Amino acid sequence: MEDAKQSYDLIVIGGGPAGLSAAIYGGRAKLRTLLINKGALGGMVDTTREIVNYPGTINVSGPDLMRDFIKHAESFGVTFLKDEVVSTDFAHDRKKVTTKKKKEFSAKAVIIAAGNEPRLLNIPGEKELQGSGVAYCATCDAEFFEGEDVVVIGSGDQAIEEGMYIAKFARKVTIIVLHDEGILDCNKVSAERALSHEKMEFIWNSTIEEVLGVGEDSVEAVIIRNIKTGKSTELACQGVFFFVGMIPSTRFLQASGLEMDSRGYIPVNEQMETNLEGVYAVGDNRIKYLRQVVTAASDGATAAVAAERYIEEQDDFHMNVLQSQKKVLLLFFDAFNQESLELSALLEEVNLDLPENYRIVKIDMATKKNLARKYQIEKVPSVLLLDKGLEIKRLDCYLDKDKLKSQL
Amino acid sequence: MSLRQLDAITFEEKIYGNEETCLIIFSRKSCHVCKQVVPVLEELQPKYEGKFGFYYVDTEENISLFQRFSLKGVPQILYFDSGEFRGKQAGLVDEEKVEGKIATILEA
């Protein structure tokens, strides 16, 4: 028997806004929900000083907003576990996950909300000088560069906004930008503020190829390469902040059979379904247009509702079809399809006349798409004769009592 | 169990007075990476009870300590043995890295 303590309806991997929203919806739907998160709850939002575009909340800090998400999930009885999922087994109806602390959990559905993490440039000096001048978090480290010269690499929202924060402390902040003069990847408001900032300077069409240090104790310069001219120059500085984009934190899924693109992002459909039944991907680790708190929350809600319906379908199917003593007539219908409604009535009638009658199970195609997919049903009405879930035959759907009866 | 906090005076006492074999995490309240690393140390601490010390320094309250080791960021874990500095680990480190470092110090 499975250990009841380790068995859930829904497991959510990741505790950022997408995972927490999924947990809120899962908990509210009375699903036994477990949220596994490796670090502090709140995900990347927890590192955001100010959020001004979460609808209904004019200005809030990332940690404060996430505290409310967490409280909300707790109020619906969600179980939280601080651990890291290292491997998964999604091949069966009960999905399994194994954690770093060697615990195993299983659930009927899994929602992956693992988010993403800063990309490393993997250039000489980057790793060696981390903590000695190379940094990735302005909130954590900006103050240590009071009155010094700092280089920032990148021009996205994070690079420019964090750069302006660093400028509160540093003497000078030099931003290294890949693009032509004047072009920044960040939002327009931040771009205008940064371009006119008295402490900020820009080096265009460039990237950095090495961080130079005094041993491994401190940074003394970076080597900047102009990608147009190919020329390298040295710029003295005491600090280097890397903001060169993000990569999805989906490496633990590499052997799961889950489809991913070349960078590791997971493709999903409108219901957040992955290529594996009962497995959903939400938030920053999926392929999407806009990565914001509001879209993460939306993903989480969608996936949890899709998972809830999937679980209900699975449970019904187990009880009424797989465990049925009688053979089952599985009818796929659609309430808007007159023919399928007539066939439904006719099937009931025929069944009453049979000496050894069947159990009739009706499946609404509009909501129960997973079963239709499982039996490769493409049109309504369709009728299958099943024994313990195995297909014996497909009936021809005549709206004629005798023709129907003759097939049974 | 939470880590024992050190200030400039207790730091001097533990590291150079008692010459303790130990690690010290330099951290600060507003650092989210620290929030991930500190619990890792808290969890490891009981395993090394009596063999290896685990301490915490708040860099905002102890600027002098921070400057003394010319650190440029948090979190950083500094290792000491017999009153000597034995290396540091910066950023997001996991228990394997910490345990690996502890092992090399204890074996030396």
Side-chain angles (χ1 to χ4, degrees):
Chain A
M1 275 302 284
E2 254 174 303
D3 185 348
K5 262 163 63 187
Q6 315 287 13
S7 162
Y8 289 84
D9 292 323
L10 176 65
I11 290 176
V12 179
I13 303 172
L20 288 167
S21 299
I24 289 167
Y25 273 74
R28 174 149 161 82
K30 301 256 180 266
L31 298 175
R32 270 171 52 79
T33 303
L34 170 70
L35 187 146
I36 306 175
N37 187 60
K38 68 173 175 182
L41 286 162
M44 291 305 290
V45 184
D46 211 37
T47 72
T48 311
R49 274 181 305 280
E50 191 182 49
I51 294 169
V52 293
N53 51 11
Y54 189 69
T57 307
I58 291 167
N59 188 321
V60 67
S61 80
D64 283 349
L65 182 61
M66 286 303 97
R67 209 164 298 135
D68 287 345
F69 273 50
I70 295 162
K71 259 194 264 163
H72 201 165
E74 282 169 347
S75 76
F76 285 130
V78 170
T79 306
F80 289 89
L81 175 77
K82 197 179 153 120
D83 203 342
E84 182 179 350
V85 175
V86 290
S87 70
T88 58
D89 179 1
F90 296 151
H92 308 284
D93 275 354
R94 286 210 72 88
K95 324 282 177 223
K96 284 192 187 136
V97 307
T98 308
T99 68
K100 199 165 186 178
K101 290 177 188 159
K102 301 198 167 52
K103 287 190 188 135
E104 266 191 29
F105 300 94
S106 73
K108 294 168 182 167
V110 173
I111 296 177
I112 297 160
N116 53 22
E117 60 198 51
R119 182 168 76 91
L120 301 182
L121 270 191
N122 288 319
I123 55 170
E126 182 183 8
K127 208 170 160 196
E128 296 81 354
L129 290 158
Q130 195 191 342
S132 303
V134 170
Y136 299 87
C137 168
T139 319
C140 309
D141 299 338
E143 287 171 49
F144 302 127
F145 297 91
E146 182 94 52
E148 299 187 326
D149 291 347
V150 172
V151 165
V152 168
I153 300 119
S155 75
D157 281 344
Q158 198 196 12
I160 300 304
E161 284 167 17
E162 303 280 277
M164 282 192 276
Y165 181 74
I166 298 164
K168 286 185 188 176
F169 306 96
R171 191 181 73 88
K172 187 179 82 175
V173 175
T174 307
I175 315 259
I176 314 292
V177 186
L178 265 183
H179 313 298
D180 287 333
E181 180 159 358
I183 300 171
L184 300 174
D185 288 329
C186 68
N187 63 75
K188 282 207 179 94
V189 179
S190 297
E192 277 166 24
R193 281 171 58 195
L195 289 166
S196 60
H197 197 295
E198 55 174 11
K199 278 188 180 178
M200 288 170 96
E201 284 176 18
F202 293 82
I203 296 181
W204 308 98
N205 298 122
S206 296
T207 182
I208 104 164
E209 50 185 23
E210 190 173 350
V211 184
L212 303 174
V214 182
E216 286 188 7
D217 293 331
S218 63
V219 167
E220 58 177 1
V222 290
I223 296 179
I224 297 163
R225 190 167 59 91
N226 185 306
I227 54 166
K228 284 224 164 136
T229 63
K231 237 178 90 184
S232 294
T233 47
E234 202 175 300
L235 177 69
C237 62
Q238 288 78 47
V240 192
F241 282 75
F242 286 82
F243 301 110
V244 289
M246 310 294 288
I247 51 166
S249 308
T250 53
R251 281 183 303 277
F252 70 104
L253 295 165
Q254 259 162 7
S256 65
L258 207 66
E259 207 179 290
M260 290 186 243
D261 73 4
S262 58
R263 294 171 303 168
Y265 287 105
I266 306 167
V268 295
N269 63 13
E270 207 184 337
Q271 283 82 40
M272 306 297 139
E273 293 168 328
T274 65
N275 63 314
L276 302 177
E277 203 179 78
V279 182
Y280 305 80
V282 297
D284 285 353
N285 64 193
R286 78 172 180 95
I287 296 170
K288 66 190 296 189
Y289 177 65
L290 181 66
R291 292 188 167 82
Q292 291 278 293
V293 182
V294 64
T295 63
S298 157
D299 283 4
T302 304
V305 171
E308 180 198 352
R309 291 194 180 150
Y310 165 78
I311 289 167
E312 189 186 82
E313 229 174 278
Q314 291 289 102
D315 288 352
D316 279 356
F317 185 72
H318 268 270
M319 208 161 62
N320 295 322
V321 179
L322 296 184
Q323 289 165 11
S324 170
Q325 291 306 310
K326 289 183 180 179
K327 285 181 184 153
V328 170
L329 281 172
L330 197 62
L331 165 73
F332 289 87
F333 76 100
D334 181 336
F336 293 105
N337 176 293
Q338 192 54 33
E339 193 192 342
S340 68
L341 298 179
E342 280 174 31
L343 186 79
S344 169
L346 203 58
L347 207 58
E348 297 273 8
E349 234 177 277
V350 169
N351 198 33
L352 287 176
D353 288 353
L354 295 170
E356 182 207 358
N357 64 1
Y358 300 92
R359 168 179 255 178
I360 296 177
V361 177
K362 297 174 186 177
I363 305 292
D364 184 346
M365 279 280 271
T367 55
K368 306 202 168 168
K369 295 197 166 65
N370 292 304
L371 272 183
R373 207 180 304 149
K374 182 179 169 112
Y375 287 106
Q376 292 162 353
I377 302 296
E378 272 148 21
K379 61 171 180 59
V380 288
S382 289
V383 180
L384 298 182
L385 178 59
L386 302 175
D387 186 11
K388 304 266 183 298
L390 290 177
E391 182 174 331
I392 301 173
K393 71 166 165 183
R394 281 177 193 233
L395 270 57
D396 292 321
C397 297
Y398 300 109
L399 283 178
D400 177 302
K401 205 170 165 180
D402 292 330
K403 279 186 178 169
L404 263 185
K405 207 173 182 175
S406 68
Q407 298 179 70
L408 294 166
Chain B
M1 202 176 71
S2 60
L3 304 173
R4 175 133 180 243
Q5 293 228 19
L6 297 182
D7 56 25
I9 296 161
T10 49
F11 183 90
E12 200 68 32
E13 204 176 283
K14 299 271 176 203
I15 307 302
Y16 301 108
N18 306 347
E19 300 194 341
E20 261 193 55
T21 308
C22 63
L23 65 79
I24 300 136
I25 181 160
F26 284 71
S27 180
R28 59 183 292 164
K29 288 176 205 79
S30 63
C31 157
H32 63 274
V33 184
C34 304
K35 285 185 206 156
Q36 297 187 39
V37 179
V38 170
V40 169
L41 299 183
E42 286 172 346
E43 221 162 277
L44 283 177
Q45 181 173 220
K47 195 172 157 183
Y48 293 93
E49 187 78 59
K51 282 186 286 184
F52 203 94
F54 285 66
Y55 299 103
Y56 178 102
V57 167
D58 187 311
T59 54
E60 279 160 291
E61 290 166 17
N62 298 283
I63 295 167
S64 64
L65 273 181
F66 199 78
Q67 287 167 341
R68 177 164 162 192
F69 292 98
S70 58
L71 303 179
K72 281 284 187 194
V74 284
Q76 296 212 48
I77 306 172
L78 273 61
Y79 295 83
F80 291 91
D81 182 29
S82 314
E84 273 177 44
F85 174 66
R86 297 292 304 273
K88 63 182 180 184
Q89 289 169 329
L92 188 59
V93 294
D94 57 17
E95 66 257 35
E96 278 158 45
K97 281 191 190 142
V98 175
E99 290 205 272
K101 184 75 186 167
I102 291 175
T104 59
I105 292 173
L106 287 178
E107 278 160 21

